[in-house]
Amino acid sequence: MNDTPEAKGDIVVHVAGLKNSFGDQVVHDGIDLDVSRGEILGVVGGSGTGKSVLMRSIIGLQAPTAGVVDVFGESMIGREEYEAKRVRQRWGVLFQNGALFSTLTVAENVQVPIREYFPDLDPQLLDEIAAYKVAMTGLPAEAGPKYPSELSGGMRKRAGLARALALDPQLLFLDEPTAGLDPISAAAFDELIRSLRQTMDLTVFLITHDLDTLYAICDRVAVIADKHIIAVGTIAELLALDHPWIQEYFNGPRGRGAANSAARAEGTNGA
Ligand SMILES: Nc1ncnc2c1ncn2[C@@H]1O[C@H](COP(=O)(O)OP(=O)(O)OP(=O)(O)O)[C@@H](O)[C@H]1O
Ligand SMILES: [Mg+2]
């Protein structure tokens, strides 16, 4: 099958005609979206528009009622578990609520996906890999033996990221990674994602409400509204569209504030 999206070489996630419903409630009525290799794609939309459901249907946790979902050129719909597992190994996920196992320490949480794929790994090596992943996300080594309840919100996000990076993924799904963080921690998290993209050659699917994040690290932004992706493009391209939600979002007081600080940061960097 040479016409698969991956055969084209640059499409990592391909979603077409995706429909999702819960009972009578239609959440998605034909979602089309491609994520290109190496890009950080931001996904925005009002609360409850179906951003998390979209992510869940891409990673196979939500069975859509119709449509196509290909990841790395392989269909994710109706996949046998062993086949899905092979593709799953190539991505990492940071869920909106963190989803760390509360009865496991941070290091043990990071080890969960590694144990799943490499059950015979030497325990000492497992510890070393976990410690390395914890350090990679900027957590202090002391965080490794702590339980999630013993961490601050920002540290929990980093711990979730460490677990998402456990298997050296090529693709990262992040659902609201900076929600609830103070602006300095949020900016540091953005910087971390940007540098990981560079060093690990990652493609990133990033759901966020954080306008600063969108300006700081996203190459393109997809807007979800009215059960569809209504636009995808750079922020400049989106700003040129005459859609009321997009205008309100990017040109409202917060949007303008984020644009101004992005412009200031650019000026500082360029100096
Ligand atoms: N498992 C489920 N069962 C029933 N309804 C669900 C389920 N998961 C999500 N929904 C509904 O689907 C809609 C979209 O939810 P989703 O979590 O994707 O929103 P969201 O865009 O991520 O919102 P937020 O920005 O608040 O995180 C909501 O109306 C929600 O109630
Ligand atoms: Mg959500």
Side-chain angles (χ1 to χ4, degrees):
M1 285 236 305
N2 275 338
D3 57 348
T4 58
E6 186 161 56
K8 292 181 202 150
D10 58 346
I11 305 296
V12 174
V13 178
H14 171 67
V15 176
L18 184 77
K19 298 188 180 189
N20 278 299
S21 298
F22 298 102
D24 293 342
Q25 183 194 5
V26 177
V27 177
H28 299 138
D29 193 20
I31 294 270
D32 299 313
L33 184 64
D34 284 342
V35 187
S36 303
R37 186 178 307 275
E39 79 171 330
I40 301 182
L41 178 88
V43 178
V44 300
S47 196
T49 48
K51 302 179 294 298
S52 297
V53 170
L54 173 60
M55 185 184 98
R56 291 171 60 84
S57 33
I58 296 172
I59 64 177
L61 294 179
Q62 162 77 38
T65 47
V68 170
V69 176
D70 295 337
V71 183
F72 299 116
E74 303 207 39
S75 172
M76 287 293 107
I77 295 176
R79 218 58 218 247
E80 293 288 338
E81 170 56 23
Y82 77 93
E83 291 175 319
K85 193 173 165 184
R86 187 169 42 78
V87 184
R88 225 165 39 222
Q89 186 180 358
R90 300 172 67 183
W91 72 56
V93 186
L94 176 57
F95 289 97
Q96 188 164 13
N97 57 10
L100 290 166
F101 298 109
S102 59
T103 56
L104 301 182
T105 65
V106 169
E108 288 164 349
N109 264 283
V110 176
Q111 291 174 4
V112 169
I114 308 176
R115 284 178 197 276
E116 184 188 348
Y117 285 93
F118 305 98
D120 301 325
L121 210 62
D122 175 59
Q124 194 184 335
L125 186 56
L126 199 56
D127 287 344
E128 282 170 19
I129 297 173
Y132 173 65
K133 299 294 171 184
V134 166
M136 210 169 153
T137 61
L139 281 171
E142 304 87 82
K146 288 194 170 171
Y147 289 90
S149 61
E150 299 169 327
L151 302 177
S152 74
M155 291 169 86
R156 268 201 289 278
K157 298 269 186 196
R158 284 174 188 266
L161 183 63
R163 190 178 62 185
L165 295 173
L167 294 167
D168 295 327
Q170 295 159 289
L171 169 63
L172 201 54
F173 292 94
L174 305 172
D175 195 349
E176 299 283 358
T178 57
L181 300 189
D182 69 77
I184 295 172
S185 306
F189 201 98
D190 289 345
E191 204 36 59
L192 175 61
I193 300 302
R194 199 219 300 264
S195 70
L196 287 174
R197 185 256 295 257
Q198 212 69 35
T199 51
M200 297 180 69
D201 204 14
L202 279 168
T203 302
V204 184
F205 178 97
L206 191 168
I207 297 171
T208 187
H209 285 295
D210 192 328
L211 281 151
D212 292 321
T213 300
L214 293 172
Y215 275 99
I217 63 170
C218 293
D219 300 303
R220 293 190 307 149
V221 177
V223 182
I224 178 164
D226 309 324
K227 308 178 178 58
H228 296 91
I229 299 287
I230 56 165
V232 192
T234 62
I235 295 179
E237 286 165 352
L238 296 182
L239 278 169
L241 301 175
D242 190 22
H243 188 280
W245 191 88
I246 295 175
Q247 285 302 326
E248 179 66 29
Y249 188 73
F250 289 102
N251 264 332
R254 286 174 174 233
R256 283 202 305 276
N260 288 339
S261 34
R264 273 199 303 277
E266 198 109 301
T268 322
N269 291 340

